[in-house]
Amino acid sequence: DGGITQSPKYLFRKEGQNVTLSCEQNLNHDAMYWYRQDPGQGLRLIYYSQIVNDFQKGDIAEGYSVSREKKESFPLTVTSAQKNPTAFYLCASSQGSNYGYTFGSGTRLTVV
Amino acid sequence: KNEVEQSPQNLTAQEGEFITINCSYSVGISALHWLQQHPGGGIVSLFMLSSGKKKHGRLIATINIQEKHSSLHITASHPRDSAVYICAVQIQGAQKLVFGQGTRLTINP
């Protein structure tokens, strides 16, 4: 079945370390997105990519980096520059703005 | 003020009750999405609307573009409907969604 796979589900890192969250889709979707969710807040857009080898900053891109070398993959790196990295991270994909979105199951990152 | 506001923030009801969750937005949109998030965190897309009404099983979603308002209804609610329901709007001309804060629904047996 087609879908989005995020791994790992839970991730613990020490403060000051970079960490990369994986997002893979087999839906042949052009667009992929990373969102951050904090308690009591709506999801906020970190980065998005509409096509391979191209991506744009979202509303809260500082302290994060992404790459889109393959259509299927859109990894997110949380760098040591991100001041408050502990959060729930969701990846999504879409065939385009006139289509619905498919979401992954999320990665809960805890920085200690 | 958030661009997307949901009400109520929390809702507890008894099994079998008719549920309504509301979403108001203040921007021009090309579509509105209703999403369901279960305790594990994964999100499922329920509806994508640009006008009128859609129905899927016991779920009904409506949108009034002039009033910038959408509702999600659940008929004959069941404990398995307990989840966070999220409204998200696709901004006109933009390739992104803006999300409401979510409504936490608890259905007691």
Side-chain angles (χ1 to χ4, degrees), chain A residues 93-104:
Chain A
S93 72
S94 172
Q95 188 50 34
S97 58
N98 294 327
Y99 299 86
Y101 287 70
T102 301
F103 288 84

Side-chain angles (χ1 to χ4, degrees), chain B residues 47-55 59-63 73:
Chain B
F47 295 105
M48 177 178 166
L49 291 164
S50 54
S51 66
K53 174 179 172 179
K54 286 190 176 180
K55 184 176 189 292
L59 273 59
I60 303 166
T62 65
I63 187 168
H73 305 286

Side-chain angles (χ1 to χ4, degrees), chain A residues 9 33 35 37 40 42-43 50 59 88 90 97-101 103, chain B residues 33 35 37 40-43 45 48 86 90 95-97 99-101:
Chain A
K9 192 167 178 65
Y33 310 82
Y35 293 94
Q37 187 177 40
L43 279 76
Q50 294 178 271
D59 300 318
F88 186 65
L90 275 158
S97 58
N98 294 327
Y99 299 86
Y101 287 70
F103 288 84
Chain B
H33 300 255
L35 311 167
Q37 186 172 32
I43 288 179
S45 179
M48 177 178 166
I86 300 170
Q90 183 118 26
Q95 182 76 356
K96 72 171 196 175
L97 295 178
F99 293 80
Q101 293 178 313

